[in-house]
Amino acid sequence: MRRLASFLVLVLVAGCSDAITLDVTDEQLRPTIVTWVVQTGLIEDDPEVWRVRLGEACAQGVWDEDVAVQLADRYVTEDLSTAMEGVEDGPDLRHRAAQALWIMAVQVCSEDFPEGEIEEGPPGT
């Protein structure tokens, strides 16, 4: 019974890892959010949104290019309605978004990155 309880706790924790939010203030997040806006032209600047997104990016391992691309694709899709005039969806936007997400994560959870990953730089560089 104890093993089953331990297993269930692990399953619940693993299932909730996507919902991890960062313990940072809005003021700490705002300079980081600017990276997304400048690199993508998408104006999602709500700290609550980014607290969850960056918590997810850090928990899932945004240093892995596949993770960065997958999350960036999702966030771009969610944010397209906030695009500045002239911003077009496509591979270039998605690539810039993955790089921006990586840069943002370095700013808020660099201690989570495996050794050497920061030195390698963002995806696709």
Side-chain angles (χ1 to χ4, degrees):
M1 186 65 162
R2 177 178 253 169
R3 282 188 174 165
L4 178 60
S6 296
F7 174 74
L8 290 175
V9 168
L10 287 174
V11 169
L12 288 172
V13 170
C16 294
S17 66
D18 289 352
I20 294 173
T21 58
L22 294 176
D23 186 22
V24 293
T25 67
D26 290 1
E27 291 73 30
Q28 291 169 311
L29 271 178
R30 289 192 200 288
T32 303
I33 295 169
V34 169
T35 301
W36 180 259
V37 175
V38 170
Q39 289 219 182
T40 66
L42 303 173
I43 310 176
E44 175 53 74
D45 60 357
D46 182 346
E48 281 304 311
V49 168
W50 282 106
R51 196 170 281 111
V52 172
R53 285 180 175 182
L54 289 171
E56 180 178 48
C58 295
Q60 289 190 18
V62 72
W63 48 86
D64 178 283
E65 186 168 354
D66 291 338
V67 172
V69 168
Q70 179 184 41
L71 292 174
D73 281 345
R74 193 171 94 218
Y75 300 157
V76 166
T77 300
E78 291 173 3
D79 294 356
L80 277 172
S81 65
T82 70
M84 292 179 195
E85 187 175 328
V87 172
E88 294 183 25
D89 192 11
D92 185 53
L93 173 62
R94 305 283 173 147
H95 176 74
R96 289 192 324 269
Q99 289 184 333
L101 190 57
W102 184 92
I103 291 166
M104 296 166 76
V106 167
Q107 294 174 19
V108 298
C109 67
S110 60
E111 67 280 355
D112 294 337
F113 280 60
E115 187 173 328
E117 289 294 332
I118 293 175
E119 292 77 14
E120 286 186 28
T125 57

